């Protein structure tokens, strides 16, 4: 029996990997922009050995599950700057087993105890101008700390919004919304397959959470109807150990905070959107680019750095970043593209992030040549 289940799971994972590869190959020609997705979320007993089949079985939320009202052991949090995912909104939570805590780290992801779960819900408001209005939750991604390693699982919500179901092969769901400017937008939202989940979270050949780092969490948030610093709140609840003095804590700015320095906004944007791959331990380390806040040299940052390979991905441009000239910078070229063979990040979006591209364009435009030394 165990052998049968194992073979089934291996077959599903192989199918997921194959589908992903096939999508990459075919999508290089043309990816449909508004094909009506036919995927219907439902329970799949063949996946039972991977995790719970339904999100509701974890018991993370009180009452109506789509309200995402957390139980006592589940803590809501936000990031200073968030990764762009085709304009999806996100609600993030940390689950810690009763009496357990995480340990502060000044640079890397906090150290979590066995049994911890990072919960990220992706949803769209029907009208972006109405934050408390109708919404549709598309997927919930879990990172589960089993022993010393993390396991990534995706749950896709049904159209009734009564539950979400474990899926390993990914899916497409067509979403429409009214944007901030009143225009009607739509996207074929891509739920990543299991292998794609891993690809974004790999660091030094291990899966790690991206968001729970001091520089992303060091911000104010409303808990119990009062705005407090998130890290200090976690410490007050005895779920965070080792918090350092306030002046010693790093903090990225919010990339869309126009009161912040342009340079700081651009670095914060690249750090959360690109730095999880482009760092010395990440999946894109062979590029030589370090797009985290820790890059020191101009070569690491991509300034007047030649790409490791020419061709379509580079747009036949010579350097990753050309100070003063975004149109001649590969970084800008790949961010602005929606061609799956060119765009960066490679997964997690099918639209260009207009506001993000404009930010990086402005940053490069204002970059002085002398600063590239």
């Amino acid at each position: 029996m165990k052998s049968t289940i194992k073979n089934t799971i291996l077959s599903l994972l192989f199918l997921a990997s194959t589908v992903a590869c096939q999508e990459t190959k075919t999508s290089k020609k043309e990816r449909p922009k508004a094909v009506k997705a036919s995927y219907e979320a439902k329970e799949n007993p063949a996946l039972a050995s991977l995790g719970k089949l339904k999100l509701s079985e974890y018991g993370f939320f009180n009452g109506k599950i789509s309200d995402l009202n957390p139980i006592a052991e589940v803590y809501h949090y936000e990031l200073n700057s968030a990764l762009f995912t085709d304009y999806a909104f996100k609600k993030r939570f940390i689950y810690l087993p009763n009496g357990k805590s995480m340990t502060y780290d000044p640079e890397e992801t906090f150290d979590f105890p066995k049994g911890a779960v990072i919960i990220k819900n992706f949803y769209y408001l029907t009208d972006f101008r109405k934050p408390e209005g109708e919404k549709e939750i598309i997927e919930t991604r879990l990172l589960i700390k089993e022993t010393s390693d993390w396991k990534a699982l995706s749950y896709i919500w049904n159209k009734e919004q009564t539950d979400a179901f474990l899926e390993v092969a990914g899916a497409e769901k067509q979403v429409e919304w009214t944007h901030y400017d009143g225009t009607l937008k739509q996207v074929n939202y891509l739920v990543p397959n299991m292998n794609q989940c891993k690809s974004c979270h790999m660091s030094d050949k291990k899966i790690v959470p991206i968001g729970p780092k001091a520089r992303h969490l060091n911000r104010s948030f409303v808990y119990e109807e009062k705005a407090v610093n998130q890290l200090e709140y976690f410490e007050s609840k005895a779920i965070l150990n080792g918090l350092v003095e306030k002046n010693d804590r790093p903090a990225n700015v919010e990339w869309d905070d126009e009161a912040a320095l342009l340079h700081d906004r651009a670095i914060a944007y690249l750090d959360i959107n690109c730095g999880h791959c482009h760092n010395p331990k990440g999946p894109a380390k062979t590029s030589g680019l370090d797009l985290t806040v820790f890059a020191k040299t101009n070569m690491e940052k991509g300034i007047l750095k030649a790409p490791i390979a020419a061709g379509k991905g580079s747009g036949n441009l010579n350097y990753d970043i050309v100070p003063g000239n975004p149109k001649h910078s590969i970084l800008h070229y790949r961010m602005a593209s929606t061609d799956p063979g060119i765009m960066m990040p490679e997964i997690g979006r099918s639209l260009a992030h207009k506001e993000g591209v404009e930010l990086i364009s402005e940053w490069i435009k204002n970059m002085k040549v002398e600063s590239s030394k």
Side-chain angles (χ1 to χ4, degrees), residues 16 31 57 69 86 120 134 145 154 160 164 199 215 230 249 256 267 279 299 321 337 344 356:
R31 177 160 35 185
E57 295 173 7
N69 180 28
D86 281 344
K120 188 157 68 170
E134 184 181 358
K145 186 79 176 286
S154 288
E160 295 83 9
S199 70
R215 63 186 184 276
Q230 284 187 142
R249 302 171 200 157
D256 56 351
I267 294 299
N279 70 72
M299 189 63 71
I321 295 175
S337 177
M344 283 287 174

Side-chain angles (χ1 to χ4, degrees), residues 44-280:
N44 184 351
L47 304 180
S49 64
L50 289 179
K52 299 183 189 302
L53 294 178
K54 297 189 291 186
L55 182 64
S56 60
E57 295 173 7
Y58 290 94
F60 292 141
F61 304 109
N62 285 314
K64 184 180 175 184
I65 189 171
S66 60
D67 288 342
L68 303 178
N69 180 28
I71 63 171
E73 295 83 7
V74 174
Y75 299 87
H76 193 180
Y77 71 97
E78 286 296 339
L79 306 180
N80 280 319
S81 286
L83 193 150
F84 174 74
T85 316
D86 281 344
Y87 292 103
F89 292 86
K90 295 156 192 169
K91 271 197 173 180
R92 304 171 180 82
F93 301 92
I94 294 170
Y95 165 77
L96 292 170
N98 190 25
K100 300 294 184 181
S101 59
M102 49 192 171
T103 302
Y104 178 88
D105 188 290
E107 296 184 3
E108 303 296 338
T109 301
F110 292 170
D111 186 24
F112 284 80
K114 177 183 175 182
V117 184
I118 308 297
I119 308 159
K120 188 157 68 170
N121 305 278
F122 295 71
Y123 68 97
Y124 285 84
L125 292 169
T126 301
D127 188 334
F128 280 19
R129 300 166 300 181
K130 301 176 180 177
E132 304 302 322
E134 184 181 358
K135 71 177 186 298
E136 180 184 6
I137 311 173
I138 305 300
E139 59 161 328
T140 296
R141 300 178 191 172
L142 303 183
L143 280 177
I144 303 173
K145 186 79 176 286
E146 292 193 309
T147 51
S148 60
D149 296 324
W150 292 88
K151 178 171 71 177
L153 297 177
S154 288
Y155 291 78
I156 303 179
W157 285 73
N158 59 13
K159 62 182 179 181
E160 295 83 9
Q161 300 283 279
T162 54
D163 216 330
F165 300 88
L166 179 60
E167 180 57 83
V168 298
E172 288 190 29
K173 296 193 78 173
Q174 189 178 32
V175 182
E176 293 184 347
W177 71 92
T178 300
H179 207 57
Y180 297 106
D181 60 2
T183 59
L184 186 64
K185 301 279 189 182
Q186 64 175 206
V187 66
N188 265 7
Y189 182 91
L190 303 176
V191 178
N193 65 46
M194 203 168 184
N195 290 328
Q196 290 172 323
C197 286
K198 292 178 181 177
S199 70
C200 280
H201 285 275
M202 292 300 287
S203 178
D204 209 13
K205 299 181 180 179
K206 290 185 176 180
I207 295 178
V208 295
I210 295 171
K213 295 173 180 155
R215 63 186 184 276
H216 300 315
L217 295 174
N218 188 8
R219 56 165 290 160
S220 178
F221 191 68
V222 176
Y223 292 102
E224 301 164 12
E225 301 183 352
K226 182 180 179 182
V228 295
N229 180 276
Q230 284 187 142
L231 297 176
E232 293 173 4
Y233 178 79
F234 293 158
E235 184 184 47
S236 73
K237 294 296 181 183
I239 62 166
L240 177 62
N241 298 317
L243 182 61
V244 298
E245 293 296 322
K246 183 176 181 179
N247 291 338
D248 294 329
R249 302 171 200 157
N252 282 4
V253 301
E254 298 178 33
W255 71 266
D256 56 351
D257 179 5
E258 295 185 357
L261 295 174
L262 175 63
H263 174 78
D264 293 346
R265 293 171 59 202
I267 294 299
Y269 185 90
L270 293 174
D271 187 30
I272 194 67
N273 280 279
C274 314
H276 51 86
C277 281
H278 287 282
N279 70 72

Side-chain angles (χ1 to χ4, degrees), residues 19-33:
V19 168
C21 291
Q22 287 174 343
E23 285 182 349
T24 300
K25 289 175 181 176
T26 55
S27 59
K28 284 181 178 178
K29 297 177 181 177
E30 184 179 2
R31 177 160 35 185
K33 293 293 183 187

